[in-house]
Amino acid sequence: MLIVQVCVGSSCHLKGSQEIVEKMQAAVEKYKLDGQVVLSGSFCIGKCSRGGVTIQVNDDVYTGVSPDGFDEFFKEHILDVVNS
Ligand code: FES
C-alpha cells in the first residue's frame, strides 16, 4: 500500500498542485490502483521547490514535480513500485 500525499501548500499550489492531484486521480483510475494507492493532500511539507510540486510517497519526499513531468514521476515512483 502506498500513501501518496500531494502538497497543496501555497507554494506548491502556485506550481500546479491542483493539476497534479487531478492527474494523479486519473492515473490511479486508469491503472486500477484504487486498492493499492491511497491519495491525499497535505499542507506544506517544508520542502518547497522552485521547480514544482512536492509529493510524499510513504516516507520518501520528492520535490519539483511539474505537470509536464508527471507521467515520468508516476511511472517511476508509483506504478513501478506497485508492480514490483
Ligand atoms: S508548499 Fe509544498 S512543500 Fe511547501
Side-chain angles (χ1 to χ4, degrees):
M1 176 74 82
L2 291 182
I3 314 273
V4 178
Q5 293 178 282
V6 178
C7 179
V8 294
S10 48
S11 172
C12 290
H13 178 76
L14 290 174
K15 297 180 190 83
S17 58
Q18 188 55 40
E19 197 177 339
I20 300 274
V21 168
E22 283 162 17
K23 281 176 180 277
M24 197 67 90
Q25 286 167 337
V28 166
E29 213 167 289
K30 176 173 170 191
Y31 293 103
K32 307 204 186 315
L33 301 180
D34 305 34
Q36 288 138 292
V37 173
V38 175
L39 286 184
S40 77
S42 99
F43 293 115
C44 179
I45 296 169
K47 299 256 193 261
C48 311
S49 141
R50 284 171 185 232
V53 173
T54 303
I55 301 179
Q56 182 164 356
V57 181
N58 289 350
D59 291 333
D60 298 320
V61 174
Y62 304 97
T63 59
V65 183
S66 65
D68 281 351
F70 175 81
D71 289 351
E72 201 180 319
F73 175 86
F74 188 83
K75 183 180 180 318
E76 191 172 333
H77 298 293
I78 297 177
L79 198 55
D80 287 356
V81 174
V82 166
N83 289 332
S84 67

